[in-house]
Amino acid sequence: MALKRGFFLIVGLCSLVLGLLGILLPVLPTVPFILLAAYCFARSSDRLYLWLMNHPWFADALNNWQAQGAIRKSLKRKAYIVSSLSFLVSIAVVPLIWVKVMLACFGTGLIIYLRSIPEIED
């Protein structure tokens, strides 16, 4: 049992770090990593889970996701804009064609995933 908790704790901490980096770096998405961190903390550390669920930056989105399995329409719109811009800039900057194609595929996959998330009216 301790090994399982340790695994979830490490994955949760790594996800939290990646999510926080995603705030600053345009290529990393923030929301999926924060959701994964909350999932992992719920299975490993009550203290970190409560901290994340009450954090002023993430509490609203996490509580909406937990209660309704949905995110606010304005947050979804921001995710579309930031994700699209970051992928477009990355595609424009990268010189290798195969990397451009890969980024376009990832960007398309992310947009399809975002479209599948239910919305809450603001």
Side-chain angles (χ1 to χ4, degrees), residues 11 15-17 40 45-46 56 66 82:
V11 172
S15 296
L16 180 61
V17 168
C40 291
S45 171
D46 290 336
Q66 185 178 32
V82 171

Side-chain angles (χ1 to χ4, degrees), residues 68-114:
Q68 301 173 22
I71 61 174
R72 286 180 303 128
K73 195 172 192 173
S74 62
L75 181 60
K76 194 172 182 180
R77 193 174 323 115
K78 287 177 190 174
Y80 279 134
I81 292 167
V82 171
S83 298
S84 298
L85 286 175
S86 67
F87 274 99
L88 289 173
V89 168
S90 298
I91 290 168
V93 170
V94 172
L96 302 172
I97 295 296
W98 71 270
V99 176
K100 289 178 187 251
V101 171
M102 182 184 69
L103 286 169
C105 290
F106 286 153
T108 302
L110 179 60
I111 296 299
I112 291 169
Y113 172 72
L114 285 173

